[in-house]
């Protein structure tokens, strides 16, 4: 945005507003309400417009993502430590690829502002309350939606999705892997089969393979915290998402 409205020169002159603002500023280290609630895209916080619908769809995609790992015999041949490292490193891009494949769309809206009067009334209880959850910013969500839209424009086939997921999951560059050479061979194999699948489907598009790999690399730039806060925090609260998906993996396989 050209000008952040947080630094607007407009002054609120209402007596009640002034009294409430002074009370809140005192309880938050002297910050003004404008500083607390910035309106520019970089700081504006958003939440899902229909969380009950979107979170359900996201949970379904997450279960399918974990089931995909479960159904790969080569994944279960890896040491358990490597399985956990790959799971923690790759669950976000795999989940996002699942959102694309399942055509899950979502809308966000600006996070409702907390009531000033409520904050004042509860000011004495603030130390006993849990800290407010961090909400995603509008700019971060727009970057995410841009990545998803780019993938939709590729119009991948089911086979392309399957082998691309394998190429993403078996990432030999994850630090700490014990079987990195074996994992690298699995990634090369997935990429080779993906390239073979592309030839009869898109014989005239010689650059499609490189374009798919390039676009898939953008998924790795999406922070796990953004995905957790946007799609899963309304459901799991303050629980650790990695611990939950780890339990899901071994519960399903067990």
């Amino acid at each position: 945005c050209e000008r952040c409205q947080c630094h607007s020169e407009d002054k609120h002159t209402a007596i009640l507003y002034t009294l409430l603002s002074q009370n809140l500023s005192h309880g938050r280290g002297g910050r003004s309400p404008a500083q607390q609630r910035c309106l520019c895209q970089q700081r504006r916080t958003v939440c899902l417009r229909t969380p009950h619908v979107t979170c359900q769809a996201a949970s379904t995609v997450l279960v399918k993502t974990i089931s995909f790992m479960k159904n790969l015999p080569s994944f279960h041949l890896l040491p358990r430590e490597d399985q956990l490292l790959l799971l923690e490193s790759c669950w976000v891009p795999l989940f996002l690829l699942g959102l694309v494949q399942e055509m899950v769309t979502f809308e966000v809206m600006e996070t409702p502002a907390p009531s000033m009067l409520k904050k004042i009334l509860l000011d004495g209880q603030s130390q006993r309350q849990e800290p407010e959850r961090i909400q995603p910013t509008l700019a971060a969500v727009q970057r995410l939606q841009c990545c998803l839209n780019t993938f939709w424009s590729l119009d991948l086939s089911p086979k392309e999705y399957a082998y691309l997921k394998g190429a993403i999951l078996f990432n030999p560059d994850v630090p700490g892997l014990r079987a990195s050479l074996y994992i690298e061979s699995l990634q090369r194999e997935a990429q080779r089969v993906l390239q073979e699948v592309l030839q009869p489907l898109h014989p005239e598009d010689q650059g499609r393979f490189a374009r798919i790999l390039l676009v898939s690399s953008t998924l790795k730039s999406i922070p796990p915290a953004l995905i957790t806060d946007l799609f899963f925090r309304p459901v799991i609260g303050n629980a650790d998402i990695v611990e939950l998906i780890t339990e899901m993996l071994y519960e399903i396989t067990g």
Side-chain angles (χ1 to χ4, degrees), residues 140-153:
V141 172
Q142 287 178 337
R143 286 194 295 270
L144 168 60
Q145 291 178 322
C146 181
C147 290
L148 299 180
N149 289 334
T150 303
F151 249 110
W152 276 316
S153 68

Side-chain angles (χ1 to χ4, degrees), residues 41-198:
Q41 290 188 357
Q42 293 296 328
R43 297 183 183 179
R44 284 173 61 186
T45 59
V46 295
C47 58
L48 294 172
R49 185 174 296 276
T50 55
H52 57 290
V53 175
T54 306
C55 290
Q56 177 62 47
S59 298
T60 300
V61 170
L62 184 62
V63 170
K64 290 183 177 181
T65 301
I66 303 302
S67 296
F68 166 77
M69 299 182 188
K70 169 211 169 184
N71 293 324
L72 287 177
S74 53
F75 180 77
H76 296 293
L77 291 176
L78 296 173
R80 187 182 178 101
E81 295 85 350
D82 285 7
Q83 294 178 25
L84 294 175
L85 288 173
L86 292 179
L87 175 67
E88 183 174 0
S89 172
C90 304
W91 78 268
V92 168
L94 289 177
F95 167 76
L96 294 177
L97 201 56
L99 288 184
V100 177
Q101 187 174 11
E102 299 294 328
M103 300 294 292
V104 176
T105 60
F106 62 93
E107 295 182 359
V108 296
M109 64 180 184
E110 188 170 359
T111 306
S115 167
M116 288 187 178
L117 183 58
K118 180 180 179 181
K119 285 189 174 184
I120 292 175
L121 294 176
L122 298 178
D123 185 59
Q125 306 175 22
S126 59
Q127 293 183 351
R128 297 193 296 270
Q129 293 177 340
E130 293 182 358
E132 294 182 3
R133 294 174 184 167
I134 299 176
Q135 295 290 342
T137 64
L138 178 59
V141 172
Q142 287 178 337
R143 286 194 295 270
L144 168 60
Q145 291 178 322
C146 181
C147 290
L148 299 180
N149 289 334
T150 303
F151 249 110
W152 276 316
S153 68
L154 293 174
D155 193 21
L156 300 181
S157 67
K159 286 187 176 180
E160 288 174 299
Y161 276 115
Y163 294 118
L164 180 57
K165 288 179 183 178
I168 291 175
L169 173 61
F170 296 116
N171 180 9
D173 297 326
V174 175
L177 292 173
R178 295 172 53 190
S180 58
L181 292 179
Y182 176 59
I183 293 172
E184 183 178 9
S185 68
L186 293 174
Q187 184 183 66
R188 286 200 305 267
E189 179 65 14
Q191 292 176 346
R192 182 188 64 80
V193 179
L194 173 61
Q195 195 167 20
E196 290 180 355
V197 167
L198 291 176

